[in-house]
Amino acid sequence: MNKVTVVGSINLDTNLRVKRMVKPGETIHAKEHYSAGGGKGANQAVAAARAGAQTTFIGAVGNDAPGKQMLELLENEGIDLTGIATLANESTGQAFITVDDEGENAITIYAGANFGFGPAEIEAKSDLITGSDFVIAQFETPIPATTKAFEIAQAAGVKTILNPAPGEDQISADLLKVTDMITPNETEAETITGIRVVDEASAKQAADRLHEMGVAVVIITIGAKGAFYDYDGTSELVPAFKVKAVDTTAAGDTFIGAMSSVLKPDFTNLKDAILFGNKASSMTVQRYGAQPSIPYKKEIQL
């Protein structure tokens, strides 16, 4: 069983289902409204835990009702919460998600407590990191905190996985030099490298640029086409499973969390782990909501 530690965001999601996306200055009716657990970090942790990993979380919530709700949700997943701080002067992160009839989404996030911790708080939880097989982080929490977590991980021989979302056109060299694997989608890959990813050839070009930046393992997720990987002289597009998507929220998070649950730290089963992540992600897009849509290990049959 892999030990996975996620350093990341915790949000309470407010979801709206609509026929189509609203235009500027327009008012439309929603078909459905509901709340659910979210945040890229929390989604990835839930996906890893449900896929069988021993999962730990480092992050923060506010001392408010959404924070208590999110801690209860994560605890119910069997996730170790000893690394989550409750901050008295911050509100819990929130996300406002609109999903249309085509399954596309638009998301606005408010960071709140997710930006309320830094390198010192990470240092205080270093034992949670050094006891892991993988440490995963995203860009919904402070970069200095992520960099410190990855530095601690690499010094202990723990592999690091960076999900560069939301996209940033400038990623610090200090962070990239302690990143073992990077997992952008095609849009994020273009933001980082300047190379538009539309097929395997352009994905290879983007991967080469990311290698030049210092990252050994590159996985670029390309929506319904699948996931392209490039590592140690081998590259391939692993096709996605063909399904009818109703909500793409948390699809990428599910992929990363599920993949990390079965990936070997020496990356020798990288393609098989990607295939497992693809299958998990294909199930997520057939359901509504972020964490409610994430499948369990027994459902992910290859």
Side-chain angles (χ1 to χ4, degrees):
M1 177 188 296
N2 277 352
K3 295 180 179 179
V4 175
T5 294
V6 178
V7 179
S9 56
I10 302 171
N11 293 334
L12 181 65
D13 290 352
T14 297
N15 299 267
L16 294 174
R17 285 188 58 208
V18 297
K19 182 176 181 180
R20 58 173 177 79
M21 292 297 177
V22 66
K23 299 175 183 177
E26 183 183 27
T27 300
I28 63 173
H29 285 284
K31 304 187 329 186
E32 186 179 358
H33 164 270
Y34 58 95
S35 295
K40 295 191 72 62
N43 294 343
Q44 290 166 12
V46 169
R50 290 184 182 177
Q54 182 179 329
T55 309
T56 300
F57 201 97
I58 299 176
V61 296
N63 186 20
D64 51 21
K68 292 179 176 64
Q69 182 177 344
M70 288 307 304
L71 290 178
E72 183 178 347
L73 286 172
L74 295 175
E75 185 176 29
N76 288 341
E77 299 292 342
I79 296 170
D80 182 343
L81 308 185
T82 54
I84 300 179
T86 299
L87 306 180
N89 298 318
E90 296 282 358
S91 60
T92 298
Q94 305 247 0
F96 303 89
I97 303 171
T98 303
V99 181
D100 68 15
D101 281 351
E102 300 302 313
E104 293 299 324
N105 60 43
I107 305 174
T108 302
I109 59 175
Y110 173 71
N114 292 318
F115 269 28
F117 64 96
E121 288 76 18
I122 296 295
E123 189 81 53
K125 303 295 182 182
S126 60
D127 59 318
L128 301 178
I129 295 170
T130 58
S132 306
D133 295 304
F134 295 98
V135 173
I136 303 172
Q138 328 77 37
F139 283 162
E140 289 185 348
T141 49
I143 301 300
T146 297
T147 304
K148 174 57 70 174
F150 280 18
E151 288 173 349
I152 293 169
Q154 281 215 337
V158 177
K159 299 301 182 181
T160 57
I161 301 175
L162 178 64
N163 176 218
E168 297 274 350
D169 56 0
Q170 295 290 330
I171 303 177
S172 78
D174 287 342
L175 176 57
L176 287 173
K177 74 181 182 182
V178 287
T179 297
D180 293 304
M181 174 189 285
I182 194 166
T183 61
N185 63 24
E186 70 269 39
T187 303
E188 293 150 2
E190 180 179 359
T191 298
I192 298 166
T193 67
I195 297 168
R196 187 180 177 211
V197 176
V198 294
D199 53 20
E200 286 191 62
S202 54
K204 174 61 176 168
Q205 291 179 323
D208 287 342
R209 184 71 56 83
L210 289 164
H211 290 318
E212 291 170 3
M213 294 177 179
V215 185
V217 186
V218 177
I219 300 176
I220 301 174
T221 55
I222 316 177
K225 293 182 180 179
F228 175 88
Y229 74 90
D230 192 286
Y231 170 60
D232 197 27
T234 300
S235 62
E236 184 178 352
L237 177 65
V238 181
F241 290 81
K242 302 302 181 183
V243 297
K244 171 62 176 175
V246 299
D247 182 359
T248 57
T249 306
D253 298 333
T254 299
F255 170 81
I256 293 165
M259 177 187 66
S260 71
S261 74
V262 298
L263 183 63
K264 295 179 180 179
D266 62 3
F267 303 119
T268 52
N269 68 333
L270 181 59
K271 181 178 178 180
D272 287 342
I274 290 171
L275 189 64
F276 186 81
N278 280 354
K279 182 59 183 290
S281 182
S282 76
M283 302 185 72
T284 293
V285 302
Q286 297 179 72
R287 306 166 179 174
Y288 289 103
Q291 289 170 24
S293 70
I294 297 171
Y296 291 85
K297 183 176 182 179
K298 62 184 179 183
E299 301 176 86
I300 310 170
Q301 301 294 330
L302 292 176

